Amino acid sequence: MSLVEIARYQDVYEADLAAAFLASHDIEVSVTERFQTTVDPLMQRALGIRLMGRADQAAQARDLLARAGTGEFATDEGDDLDGPDSTVRAASRGLALFAVATGAGFVGTSMPRRFGAFQWAGLAILGVVVLLSLVLWLVGVLSA
């Protein structure tokens, strides 16, 4: 039994999906160069990921992949995720602006960072906005 190249992919996950698709249609294939490309992902583009299969099933496999590429097997399942709530969207934008203004960046990093001039200016503006908000709130509460 000789193996021939069915298709070549730039991504190991795309090759795995194609292999699973062909396996669901009873076509035996194997994904080659898996070890080299998973150890060094930059090699995926250099080597390419070959999908190898039996010579007697090669034409059928190529036909199935071509038909899948045109969307013949696609289903209209829709998206089961709802869009974000406007309150959540506003809160996340506020947190992002706060992180940029204070120079927090990624909170999970372990390296301490010093504030730059841009971050100090943002922190000062943020402090003034918070202080003015509190003053206006107190004026509104005391005048009522």
Side-chain angles (χ1 to χ4, degrees), residues 5-19:
E5 182 177 318
I6 304 293
R8 187 177 293 253
Y9 295 96
Q10 294 292 321
D11 186 50
V12 69
Y13 304 110
E14 187 178 5
D16 282 338
L17 284 172

Side-chain angles (χ1 to χ4, degrees), residues 6-7 9 12-31 34 51-52 57-75:
I6 304 293
Y9 295 96
V12 69
Y13 304 110
E14 187 178 5
D16 282 338
L17 284 172
F21 172 74
L22 291 175
S24 71
H25 287 85
D26 298 325
I27 297 178
E28 299 174 26
V29 293
S30 66
V31 179
R34 178 186 302 278
L51 197 61
M52 303 293 284
Q57 294 179 331
Q60 182 185 5
R62 289 185 187 117
D63 179 56
L64 281 170
L65 289 175
R67 289 170 46 199
T70 62
E72 182 177 331
F73 299 100
T75 60

Side-chain angles (χ1 to χ4, degrees), residues 42-120:
L42 296 176
M43 294 300 289
Q44 287 183 14
R45 298 217 183 248
L47 295 176
I49 313 295
R50 292 184 301 164
L51 197 61
M52 303 293 284
R54 293 186 357 209
D56 61 334
Q57 294 179 331
Q60 182 185 5
R62 289 185 187 117
D63 179 56
L64 281 170
L65 289 175
R67 289 170 46 199
T70 62
E72 182 177 331
F73 299 100
T75 60
D76 186 24
E77 295 177 357
D79 192 3
D80 60 348
L81 298 176
D82 296 330
D85 186 15
S86 61
T87 309
V88 173
R89 183 176 290 165
S92 61
R93 285 182 182 156
L95 285 172
L97 288 174
F98 176 76
V100 168
T102 59
F106 293 104
V107 180
T109 58
S110 60
M111 297 292 294
R113 297 186 333 173
R114 296 183 179 175
F115 284 169
F118 176 72
Q119 283 85 15
W120 281 114

Side-chain angles (χ1 to χ4, degrees), residues 29-40:
V29 293
S30 66
V31 179
T32 61
E33 289 92 12
R34 178 186 302 278
F35 177 73
Q36 293 90 343
T37 57
T38 52
V39 169
D40 185 8

